[in-house]
Amino acid sequence: LGAVPTTLLDLVRPGFHRLCRAYFGLELAGTDNIPVSGAIIITPNHQTYADPALVSIPVRRRVYYMAWNRLFDIPLFNLLIRRLRACPVRIDSPDPSSAREAVRLLQAGHVVMIFPEGERTRTGKIERFKPGAFRLAASLQVPVLPVTITGGHASWAPGRVFPRRGNIKISYHPVLKPDPTLEPRRAAADLAERARAAIIAALED
């Protein structure tokens, strides 16, 4: 089966948004910062299983997700996430195949979502960022859209089967561009530092 058409996702988007507002108290801030065209890497912090869907609500473009490869071992669920344009990534070792796929998508001008922590936080705090998303951005000179999710850990922490009602806020920050004057590895580190600082600042508000 192929990916779910964007037109179909657009049809269910308003109802899903209303449901999330009712159950999670979902608030979206800074949505004007979401680019309407061009390649972009969205880099949210990671608090719940629902983060990819929640962050995508105001993104009115086709979004591709780099997801933990072990999720693709879950029967039926793997079919669903593949149809929603998720691509498997090994987070415990280098993964050249997923990197090549991300490069292909970005060179075609698409939106790619990568969680730089690699997996959900177990404490509610920001975990160490992995460099992959920022190395891609620096090598391709693609901008990054940092996103802060707050309240998700309290609602759906690791170990909980189902989420409780909560107050989740998602903040979309101004786009960050790699510094073209730096060599790629340093440009990636600089970009990661700036993205992390933007995300943490909103998390601590």
Side-chain angles (χ1 to χ4, degrees), residues 166-188:
N167 292 288
I168 295 179
K169 180 177 181 179
I170 301 179
S171 302
Y172 302 80
H173 303 295
V175 163
L176 301 177
K177 295 182 179 180
D179 186 339
T181 68
L182 300 175
E183 58 88 18
R185 187 173 291 272
R186 180 58 199 148

Side-chain angles (χ1 to χ4, degrees), residues 48-64:
T48 79
Y49 282 128
D51 290 347
L54 296 177
V55 173
S56 299
I57 287 174
V59 184
R60 304 304 294 269
R61 301 172 58 189
R62 185 181 300 174
V63 182
Y64 294 84

